[in-house]
């Protein structure tokens, strides 16, 4: 699915019309930690379906797909997968789940849903891990809105703080 839908808007439409989002959600809800590969693929499908990447088309269904996944409850499922995978030290799966959350943040309603599901609590956990020396660096990965057709991924290092070249800040 991820191969046939990545970069092909028509295939994304066929997948969504065939209740593909519901099937992905069913797989995510059954997660017990035993089949991380299947779950990683499900997270990647969410990422593919909710990202505009077919530049041959003028319009994208990515926004509508994100709203559909949100209505089906994908955000709590992705955050639950993140929690379980971090406990199992499966960083690859945690990143796949958080990438799914990242591409879903297409409107205020979905962002509020992400916050309501406890994303900030997870950020606090990561800040505590940095303070305790369990991790060396902390990055924020987000989208930079260019226009309705394009969002550019942005990676910013949060911790440790990078020294600033700003002359006004040198005295601090």
């Amino acid at each position: 699915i991820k191969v046939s839908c990545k970069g092909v808007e028509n295939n994304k439409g066929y997948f969504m019309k065939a209740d593909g989002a519901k099937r992905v959600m069913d797989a995510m809800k059954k997660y017990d930690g035993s089949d991380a590969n299947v779950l990683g693929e499900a997270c990647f499908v969410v990422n593919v379906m909710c990202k505009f990447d077919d530049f041959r088309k003028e319009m994208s269904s990515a926004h509508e797909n994100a709203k559909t996944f949100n209505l089906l409850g994908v955000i709590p499922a992705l955050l639950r997968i993140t929690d379980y995978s971090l406990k199992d030290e499966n960083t690859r799966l945690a990143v796949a789940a958080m990438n799914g959350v990242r591409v879903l943040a297409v409107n205020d309603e979905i962002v509020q849903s992400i916050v309501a599901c406890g994303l900030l609590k997870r950020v606090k956990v990561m800040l505590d891990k940095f303070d305790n020396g369990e991790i060396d660096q902390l990055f924020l990965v987000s989208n930079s809105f260019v226009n309705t057709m394009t969002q550019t991924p942005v990676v910013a290092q949060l911790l440790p703080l990078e020294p600033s070249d700003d002359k006004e800040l040198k005295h601090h």
Side-chain angles (χ1 to χ4, degrees):
I1 292 170
K2 71 179 184 181
V3 173
S4 64
C5 290
K6 186 175 183 179
V8 185
E9 191 63 34
N10 290 343
N11 290 353
K12 291 179 185 184
Y14 298 139
F15 179 80
M16 294 301 282
K17 286 178 186 168
D19 283 333
K22 185 179 181 316
R23 293 182 181 144
V24 170
M25 288 303 304
D26 289 344
M28 287 183 167
K29 289 177 181 175
K30 293 177 184 175
Y31 178 65
D32 63 359
S34 62
D35 202 345
N37 290 330
V38 170
L39 205 49
E41 293 298 314
C43 293
F44 192 80
V45 169
V46 171
N47 191 320
V48 167
M49 299 307 293
C50 299
K51 186 187 302 182
F52 174 70
D53 58 4
D54 185 352
F55 298 104
R56 299 170 298 169
K57 298 280 186 175
E58 291 183 24
M59 298 298 292
S60 170
S61 61
H63 189 268
E64 289 302 315
N65 294 349
K67 291 185 344 186
T68 299
F69 274 108
N70 183 49
L71 290 173
L72 291 171
V74 74
I75 294 167
L78 288 169
L79 294 176
R80 183 173 49 84
I81 292 165
T82 302
D83 291 343
Y84 286 141
S85 58
L86 288 173
K87 286 179 188 171
D88 295 341
E89 297 184 8
N90 188 339
T91 307
R92 185 171 181 259
L93 180 56
V95 168
M98 290 310 296
N99 276 333
V101 172
R102 179 182 61 84
V103 298
L104 287 165
V106 296
N107 66 26
D108 288 343
E109 177 186 340
I110 297 175
V111 171
Q112 289 174 6
S113 185
I114 292 169
V115 171
C117 287
L119 181 66
L120 298 178
K121 175 177 66 174
R122 288 162 179 88
V123 171
K124 169 91 169 80
V125 168
M126 298 312 292
L127 291 172
D128 290 344
K129 285 181 181 279
F130 180 81
D131 285 344
N132 296 335
E134 295 175 55
I135 60 174
D136 297 329
Q137 297 175 311
L138 183 60
F139 294 89
L140 175 66
V141 179
S142 63
N143 291 332
S144 174
F145 181 82
V146 177
N147 57 46
T148 56
M149 301 290 279
T150 306
Q151 294 187 34
T152 305
V154 176
V155 178
Q157 182 174 330
L158 295 179
L159 294 172
L161 295 174
E162 293 287 322
S164 174
D165 292 333
D166 190 342
K167 291 179 182 178
E168 285 186 32
L169 297 176
K170 290 289 184 190
H171 69 279
H172 290 284

